[in-house]
């Protein structure tokens, strides 16, 4: 496999190309355990109540970048995040997501710093952004500093489904990351729904990520609307 190995320190995309509404708190819908057809139908129902569409890792495993292209075509006004959880070949793999139409890709915070730098380099070329997913990072404060020192400006607090099954929530990690970060936008994911979202708003999350709280709700549009209104009530 051939890919760009340039690892020079880079900054994220220029102010000339700010992503839509970057300064506002946002709601991101996570599409994981869903087919392409059902995913498109679901987002059509909640279209007015989400800011970012996440093509989740299981979805990407099932559909590849075809899913990103399909959502970009159907929802041109929305931001799209490809939850690739990149662990190696950062420049090469990030580039694939941007070429498919994603505004963001994700790279794992536990990977080598060179891999993160590769993702940042691809983001600079395409004027896109990279979210560093901090799932399972042990020394959060130290790693946040290292990442921001190389130009990272988007960090993700992520409590995975396996951790949630043990009773863990993202609240403590979000609080810790807000204290550790000097300038990054911070997203948070992990079992959030309309009943719990206010806790994350109160802690200052920039992006709230909701999967099952919308996708598995009896009325997804009503659930998305309830969360969206809380998120966008923040001034």
């Amino acid at each position: 496999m051939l890919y760009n190995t340039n690892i020079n320190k880079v900054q994220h995309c220029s102010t000339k190309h700010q992503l839509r509404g970057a300064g506002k708190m946002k709601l991101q819908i996570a599409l994981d355990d869903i087919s392409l057809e059902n995913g498109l139908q679901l987002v059509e129902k909640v279209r007015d109540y989400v800011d970012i569409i996440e093509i989740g890792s299981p979805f990407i495993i099932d559909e590849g970048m075809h899913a990103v292209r399909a959502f970009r075509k159907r929802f041109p006004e929305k931001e799209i995040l490809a939850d690739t959880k990149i662990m190696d070949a950062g420049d090469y793999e990030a580039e694939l997501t941007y070429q498919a139409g994603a505004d963001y890709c994700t790279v794992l915070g536990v990977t080598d710093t060179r891999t993160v730098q590769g993702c940042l380099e691809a983001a600079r070329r395409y004027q896109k952004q990279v979210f560093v997913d901090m799932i399972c990072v042990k020394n959060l404060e130290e790693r946040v500093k290292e990442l921001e020192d190389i130009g990272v400006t988007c960090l993700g607090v992520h409590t995975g489904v396996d951790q949630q099954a043990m009773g863990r929530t993202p609240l403590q990690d979000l609080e810790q990351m807000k204290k550790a970060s000097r300038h990054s936008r911070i997203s948070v994911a992990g079992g959030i729904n309309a009943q719990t979202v206010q806790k994350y708003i109160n802690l200052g999350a920039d992006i709230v990520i909701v999967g099952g709280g919308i996708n598995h709700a009896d009325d997804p549009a009503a659930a998305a609307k309830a969360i969206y209104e809380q998120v966008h009530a923040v001034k």
Side-chain angles (χ1 to χ4, degrees), residues 95-232:
E95 183 172 56
L96 293 177
T97 73
Y98 303 140
Q99 289 176 340
D103 297 291
Y104 310 89
C105 71
T106 65
V107 59
L108 292 176
V110 295
T111 194
D112 191 89
T113 299
R114 294 168 64 94
T115 302
V116 180
Q117 288 174 309
C119 292
L120 290 169
E121 176 62 23
R124 183 193 64 77
R125 290 198 307 275
Y126 286 86
Q127 296 189 325
K128 303 294 185 179
Q129 292 191 5
V130 179
F131 258 97
V132 181
D133 185 331
M134 301 295 278
I135 190 170
C136 294
V137 169
K138 299 298 183 184
N139 191 331
L140 202 59
E141 184 174 343
E142 179 180 326
R143 188 58 172 151
V144 166
K145 184 180 186 305
E146 291 172 351
L147 291 168
E148 291 188 338
D149 282 347
I150 64 165
V152 167
T153 59
C154 301
L155 296 167
V157 176
H158 184 189
T159 301
V161 293
D162 295 333
Q163 293 173 313
Q164 291 174 47
M166 301 298 291
R168 186 177 176 87
T169 75
L171 284 169
Q172 186 176 357
D173 288 343
L174 174 58
E175 187 172 17
Q176 186 180 355
M177 196 179 297
K178 287 292 292 185
K179 291 177 180 177
S181 173
R182 290 163 289 172
H183 55 250
S184 292
R185 298 170 68 199
I186 297 175
S187 67
V188 59
I192 302 170
N193 56 44
Q195 287 69 49
T196 62
V197 66
Q198 191 62 50
K199 297 177 182 178
Y200 300 92
I201 293 171
N202 292 344
L203 285 175
D206 298 294
I207 299 172
V208 175
I209 303 172
V210 181
I214 294 174
N215 309 347
H216 300 159
D218 292 335
D219 186 341
K225 184 175 185 290
I227 298 169
Y228 183 87
E229 288 179 346
Q230 292 180 71
V231 166
H232 283 266

